Amino acid sequence: MNIKSIILTKEVKNKTELTSAIKKLKKEKNAVILAHYYQDDAIQEVADYLGDSLYLAQQAAKVENDIIVFAGVHFMAETAKIINPSKKVLLPDLKAGCSLADSCPPDDFAAFKANHPDALVVSYINCSAEVKMLSDLVCTSSNAKKIIESIPKDQKIIFAPDKNLGAYLNKETDRNMILWQGSCIVHEAFSFEKIISLIKSYPKAKFIAHPESESPVLDIAHYIGSTSGLLAFVQKDKAKEYIVATEAGILYEMQKRCPKKTFIPAPVEDDTCACSECAFMKLNTLEKLYRCLLNESPEVKMDKKLMDGARIPIQRMFELS
Ligand code: 13P
Ligand code: SF4
């Protein structure tokens, strides 16, 4: 019996079985798995490439396999399809969206852009392909500062969709970009007051944050960076304890890289929710990943014109990164 028929006839039950079934299917189908740090531990473990949004987009552009399984959210899988259109791109759950991308409807954004005809548009990669198509440049949290600084200082800029990242970049680059008022529900859930009292309870801990967090939170951070920036920081820094304000999935890789250090997720306003976890990211499960590889579905399908338009600002970002 070959692996395919074993899988089709047998109910795959536990993590270990699922993981080995995924690995076998991956080989059989010449597929590659790209996973973001915010995915479940088991998904991170089975990934061929694990990283932040910039790294994953760069890897997606280079993939030679027939199938890309994107364990992340929709805009990430869409970006992979745009930059490597001949590949079949699968997303374990097509409903894995992003509150930040959703906070910028393309029609509203087109009208906003029309009100500032002399402005250049820089969009954070956490947006729809339609918004990318309306943009001159795309950036991620790890290259945003560099991308903005590549633009002459007297050039008017619209930055979308994240108002928090935009405000942070305005401070960092000493600019006054026009900001689209979007945000991420996960990074806005952190409680400033509770963080302050946690810092008092752990006086030796360093507080580190993703720039999608609100400015009072960023103002008290010892370090601000993208997910890969935060990881690099805790590896080279001398402290032993860290309070981490970003999606809690990152703690798994932090703990792996620094087993002797302690990582504490930053507290959120509402104690009754798991708000420091991105509900969209967590829609992907190991079981869905297995099924999507098995069925080669759900697939991310896109209009060619949209892909061609959205590719231009992404390629400009790659050239500048
Ligand atoms: P990174 O650019 O750090 O991967 O962040 C992606 C993201 O979705 C943050 O919420
Ligand atoms: Fe989007 Fe926020 Fe989830 Fe990142 S954490 S994918 S920005 S909703």
Side-chain angles (χ1 to χ4, degrees):
M1 218 191 290
N2 69 19
I3 176 67
K4 198 165 180 179
S5 47
I6 295 169
I7 291 163
L8 286 169
T9 50
K10 191 176 156 212
E11 195 49 36
V12 182
K13 284 193 183 75
N14 63 36
K15 258 189 197 176
T16 321
E17 278 181 304
L18 278 172
T19 303
S20 58
I22 288 168
K23 284 182 181 163
K24 280 173 187 153
L25 271 176
K26 217 167 56 173
K27 258 195 201 152
E28 207 176 275
K29 297 192 176 233
N30 190 25
V32 67
I33 299 176
L34 271 58
H36 192 270
Y37 292 125
Y38 294 167
Q39 291 292 283
D40 272 345
D41 312 354
I43 295 182
Q44 295 192 32
E45 284 297 335
V46 84
D48 299 287
Y49 298 97
L50 173 68
D52 70 350
S53 29
L54 177 63
Y55 173 79
L56 294 175
Q58 287 167 331
Q59 293 312 311
K62 291 187 218 157
V63 163
E64 287 182 356
N65 304 59
D66 300 317
I67 297 177
I68 297 174
V69 184
F70 212 112
V73 288
H74 193 267
F75 76 82
M76 296 178 177
E78 209 174 49
T79 303
K81 182 71 189 172
I82 294 166
I83 55 190
N84 208 339
S86 66
K87 307 300 170 193
K88 186 180 259 190
V89 178
L90 308 174
L91 180 63
D93 190 324
L94 272 189
K95 290 196 283 301
C98 167
S99 63
L100 185 48
D102 291 348
S103 67
C104 192
D107 289 347
D108 295 353
F109 186 65
F112 181 78
K113 181 183 163 178
N115 284 334
H116 305 280
D118 50 346
L120 217 100
V121 177
V122 180
S123 66
Y124 186 35
I125 200 162
N126 298 38
C127 65
S128 64
E130 286 82 357
V131 169
K132 288 185 177 79
M133 195 158 125
L134 291 165
S135 307
D136 298 291
L137 272 162
V138 163
C139 70
T140 77
S141 51
S142 50
N143 62 16
K145 194 173 167 209
K146 194 170 174 187
I147 299 280
I148 302 297
E149 282 175 340
S150 74
I151 302 167
K153 209 143 185 193
D154 57 353
Q155 170 64 53
K156 217 166 153 184
I157 302 171
I158 292 175
F159 185 82
D162 190 7
K163 61 176 181 182
N164 296 317
L165 176 61
Y168 167 71
L169 290 167
N170 270 343
K171 270 193 207 164
E172 284 288 297
T173 64
D174 191 26
R175 297 192 188 217
N176 192 19
M177 297 188 292
I178 305 154
L179 307 181
W180 178 265
Q181 296 296 303
S183 61
C184 156
I185 43 168
V186 178
H187 290 86
E188 285 207 330
F190 296 119
S191 160
F192 176 73
E193 285 75 22
K194 288 184 192 170
I195 292 170
I196 295 282
S197 70
L198 195 62
I199 291 172
K200 283 185 187 145
S201 313
Y202 291 87
K204 289 191 179 145
K206 282 199 176 152
F207 173 59
I208 58 175
H210 193 283
E212 284 175 26
S213 310
E214 292 177 303
S215 66
V217 169
L218 295 180
D219 287 345
I220 55 165
H222 292 102
Y223 176 78
I224 298 165
S226 67
T227 47
S228 56
L230 296 172
L231 270 165
F233 178 76
V234 298
Q235 280 177 275
K236 67 168 196 287
D237 186 63
K238 296 268 184 290
K240 300 235 171 347
E241 294 171 330
Y242 299 88
I243 298 167
V244 185
T246 192
E247 211 274 355
I250 189 82
L251 269 65
Y252 180 68
E253 184 65 15
M254 281 183 175
Q255 202 66 73
K256 247 175 103 174
R257 293 196 197 178
C258 309
K260 292 192 176 138
K261 296 192 174 191
T262 303
F263 300 101
I264 307 154
V268 291
E269 207 64 69
D270 179 356
D271 292 325
T272 63
C273 73
C275 304
S276 65
E277 292 200 353
C278 173
F280 301 104
M281 285 275 182
K282 266 45 182 194
L283 277 176
N284 295 327
T285 61
L286 203 59
E287 166 106 30
K288 285 184 197 167
L289 177 52
Y290 157 72
R291 292 204 182 281
C292 104
L293 247 179
L294 180 69
N295 303 321
E296 297 185 24
S297 166
E299 183 182 351
V300 175
K301 289 190 176 152
M302 294 177 72
D303 174 68
K304 185 178 177 312
K305 231 169 118 185
L306 177 59
M307 287 198 285
D308 290 346
R311 191 176 304 116
I312 300 165
I314 300 173
Q315 256 156 2
R316 284 193 193 125
M317 169 185 79
F318 285 150
E319 283 154 24
L320 290 168
S321 293

